[in-house]
Amino acid sequence: MGRHFEVRAAAMAASAKAKSAIYMRASKEIYAAAKAGGPDPDSNLALRSAIDKYRKTCPKDVIERAIEKAKGGSAEAYEAGRYEFFGPGNSYLIVDTLTDNVNRALVVVRTIVTRKGGKMGTVNYNFEWKGVLDFKGSNVSEVEETLILGDVDVSSVTEEDGYIEVLLNPSDLAKAQDLLKDIGVTEFETAEATFVPNEYITLEGEDLERFKKCLAELDESEDVQAVYHNVENA
């Protein structure tokens, strides 16, 4: 697959603690989307996007319980946060949180990154907010033509190792998925809006080890919702 996919996939830790954090992450994001816009993903695009994002990494019952919780009128509320850092070895990190305690989330995230040699700072100018679709396929021309004729704002369509990756305007994600299903794309490895770095870097030695440990600890935090970075080999 393309390196955008590989960088995102590499950030997913394999520990049981990290898996539990992913389930919590999915539950909170799906619950918040369903509570804000209604429980029907056909009419609530934010909910549809959240479900698509976690379909591959979470059991179906985790998704269904989160939607049912929103239907039940739970008073639980979460607040989103976004924090930017210079990481080890001149890397860049953007960390999104979704939490019931903003002060706790900030302290936890800042502590994890700074203990690995990072510091807070503005890095978002090194990224672009893009919609990303990854799926099995090889016919780049057909995919590109279908999306452009369907009035989707496409940035790029690339193929590698039997997978196609599409970068597009995030607001066109749902439209693009529907158009691609019409030409036989039945399953998406990735369907989400994400920060894509303008340039990637590689780290070595102690910087790489510190960066990997930083990602693992962020993955395990219950308040962290997403981590974006520019390290190709992490």
Side-chain angles (χ1 to χ4, degrees):
M1 296 185 193
R3 62 180 177 173
H4 302 122
F5 179 88
E6 296 301 335
V7 168
R8 293 193 304 277
M12 295 174 61
S15 71
K17 187 175 180 180
K19 186 177 289 188
S20 176
I22 290 171
Y23 293 173
M24 175 63 73
R25 201 169 293 151
S27 180
K28 287 195 296 184
E29 189 167 337
I30 291 168
Y31 164 79
K35 186 175 181 181
D40 183 1
D42 290 331
S43 58
N44 182 346
L45 294 183
L47 176 59
R48 174 177 169 178
S49 178
I51 292 172
D52 287 340
K53 178 178 177 180
Y54 292 104
R55 196 185 300 276
K56 288 283 184 179
T57 55
C58 286
K60 187 177 180 181
D61 65 298
V62 171
I63 295 172
E64 291 177 345
R65 281 200 304 269
I67 295 174
E68 288 302 315
K69 183 178 177 182
K71 286 181 181 178
S74 170
E76 198 167 4
Y78 298 108
E79 187 172 344
R82 176 166 289 164
Y83 309 101
E84 303 174 35
F85 299 91
F86 294 97
N90 296 315
S91 59
Y92 303 134
L93 288 156
I94 297 177
V95 182
D96 282 351
T97 59
L98 189 62
T99 179
D100 58 0
N101 188 323
V102 175
N103 291 332
R104 179 191 67 211
L106 171 58
V107 170
V108 168
V109 170
R110 184 172 57 196
T111 299
I112 290 172
V113 180
T114 55
R115 283 182 177 174
K116 300 301 181 294
K119 63 180 180 180
M120 294 192 79
T122 302
V123 302
N124 63 69
Y125 60 89
N126 293 289
F127 295 83
E128 289 186 86
W129 186 243
K130 293 288 186 183
V132 182
L133 296 173
D134 292 301
F135 51 92
K136 288 183 179 180
S138 59
N139 196 332
V140 170
S141 297
E142 182 185 27
V143 168
E144 191 168 31
E145 182 179 355
T146 297
L147 294 177
I148 291 174
L149 290 176
D151 199 28
V152 171
D153 185 359
V154 178
S155 298
S156 67
V157 181
T158 56
E159 186 273 333
E160 185 177 332
D161 298 330
Y163 281 83
I164 290 177
E165 180 178 78
V166 180
L167 299 183
L168 66 157
N169 188 315
S171 65
D172 288 339
L173 266 170
K175 183 199 296 184
Q177 286 175 268
D178 290 338
L179 288 167
L180 291 172
K181 286 175 182 177
D182 289 341
I183 61 170
V185 180
T186 58
E187 199 168 333
F188 296 89
E189 294 291 325
T190 305
E192 64 180 11
T194 185
F195 278 111
V196 175
N198 295 321
E199 291 184 345
Y200 290 87
I201 65 169
T202 58
L203 297 180
E204 297 179 354
E206 186 178 343
D207 284 337
L208 180 58
E209 289 306 309
R210 286 190 298 172
F211 190 82
K212 286 182 175 180
K213 288 178 181 177
C214 181
L215 289 184
E217 290 184 27
L218 288 171
D219 274 344
E220 292 176 355
S221 171
E222 66 179 71
D223 291 318
V224 172
Q225 201 64 22
V227 179
Y228 314 97
H229 64 84
N230 68 328
V231 179
E232 188 169 15
N233 63 326

